[in-house]
Amino acid sequence: MDIYLIKLIIAHLIGDFFLQPNAWVKDKERKKLKSPKLYLHVAVHMALIFLVFLNFNVWKTALTIGLIHLLIDALKSIFQNSKNARILFFADQALHFGSIVAVWHLFYKGNLDIAYLNDLRTWILISGTLFLTMPTSIVMKVIIAKWIPDQPDGPKSLENAGKYIGILERTLIFLFILTNHFEAVGFLLAAKSIFRFGDLKEKHDLKLTEYVLIGTLLSFGIAIITAMLIQRFIA
């Protein structure tokens, strides 16, 4: 990794996440291209580039990134609405980081090493990670479908929360085992038990408790077995 690229990334992170108040964001969303905060935000990004480099000779870099940043944020403000705000946030950041890499390559002759994309171990890791997300969720749903208990009227959980919690826990287990931190898996299981089974205890529902326990152990078991197999393949 090149120091020039790191400095450009730091400038972006500070400008977008530390020095952009919520009031500026809302003003841009409301006034769009007429918002003075849009242009002030871009000016902050350009100033940060001068600051991290401590050199005024980088004015071409600052100007180029500033103009690209203005274009990306302007397009986002024009097309953003309540339905696509989440998607556009990630698309916006992807474009910003992509433009930073492009400018780095243009002005500093930087090149990213992507040789790992031709490494078999990389694709084995990707396949294992993907398997532990939606495919495993569907497999578990099929396995434990016959044990789904009747849910009485009461507080409703977040939509699809259980599915995403499962995906996150399996991904973390996968990471912990591949980095030889087995103790972290135990910590994760203990933490989930404290929060999840505390609620179940209050409901005094044996069937629901057993259902959640089966799902938890199945999720952890699949993640552990997958991680250990992948670890064996890439060793």
Side-chain angles (χ1 to χ4, degrees):
M1 190 67 76
D2 187 87
I3 188 171
Y4 300 113
L5 178 59
I6 294 297
K7 286 184 175 182
L8 291 174
I9 291 174
I10 289 173
H12 172 75
L13 292 175
I14 295 174
D16 252 21
F17 298 100
F18 290 89
L19 298 182
Q20 183 176 205
N22 287 333
W24 289 18
V25 176
K26 292 180 179 179
D27 190 77
K28 290 192 298 179
E29 291 175 352
R30 186 174 63 256
K31 298 180 181 178
K32 302 188 183 301
L33 297 182
K34 295 181 179 180
S35 170
K37 299 299 187 294
L38 171 62
Y39 306 98
L40 181 58
H41 173 63
V42 172
V44 168
H45 273 276
M46 295 174 65
L48 283 168
I49 292 174
F50 288 114
L51 183 62
V52 296
F53 280 93
L54 294 176
N55 192 330
F56 285 103
N57 291 329
V58 297
W59 66 269
K60 290 183 180 179
T61 302
L63 180 61
T64 304
I65 287 183
L67 291 174
I68 295 174
H69 198 104
L70 175 62
L71 177 62
I72 294 171
D73 278 17
L75 290 173
K76 179 187 175 186
S77 67
I78 292 172
F79 293 106
Q80 180 172 298
N81 54 53
S82 59
K83 295 182 179 179
N84 63 16
R86 184 183 305 172
I87 295 175
L88 284 185
F89 169 79
F90 291 106
D92 169 80
Q93 291 303 316
L95 288 172
H96 284 314
F97 281 107
S99 66
I100 287 172
V101 172
V103 170
W104 168 65
H105 175 74
L106 177 64
F107 290 107
Y108 302 101
K109 307 303 179 184
N111 286 292
L112 293 176
D113 183 6
I114 57 173
Y116 63 89
L117 291 178
N118 292 321
D119 191 333
L120 176 62
R121 292 175 296 180
T122 299
W123 293 100
I124 292 175
L125 286 171
I126 292 173
S127 65
T129 305
L130 289 175
F131 172 71
L132 291 175
T133 56
M134 294 303 295
T136 299
S137 295
I138 294 172
V139 169
M140 288 181 55
K141 184 177 180 180
V142 172
I143 293 174
I144 64 178
K146 65 178 181 179
W147 294 311
I148 297 178
D150 296 328
Q151 288 292 325
D153 294 335
K156 301 295 184 180
S157 64
L158 297 175
E159 184 179 359
N160 293 323
K163 178 176 69 176
Y164 294 119
I165 289 172
I167 290 173
L168 286 172
E169 74 184 19
R170 289 191 296 274
T171 303
L172 287 173
I173 291 169
F174 188 65
L175 176 63
F176 292 151
I177 292 179
L178 290 180
T179 55
N180 294 314
H181 287 91
F182 286 87
E183 69 282 358
V185 178
F187 174 79
L188 183 63
L189 179 59
K192 183 176 181 180
S193 299
I194 292 172
F195 289 105
R196 188 62 166 139
F197 293 106
D199 293 336
L200 293 172
K201 183 180 178 182
E202 298 297 326
K203 294 182 179 180
H204 303 287
D205 189 332
L206 181 59
K207 289 183 179 180
L208 181 59
T209 301
E210 291 175 337
Y211 173 78
V212 172
L213 183 58
I214 291 171
T216 296
L217 294 178
L218 186 59
S219 180
F220 272 67
I222 292 175
I224 291 171
I225 292 171
T226 301
M228 293 181 73
L229 287 173
I230 295 295
Q231 192 176 48
R232 190 175 183 86
F233 286 134
I234 65 177

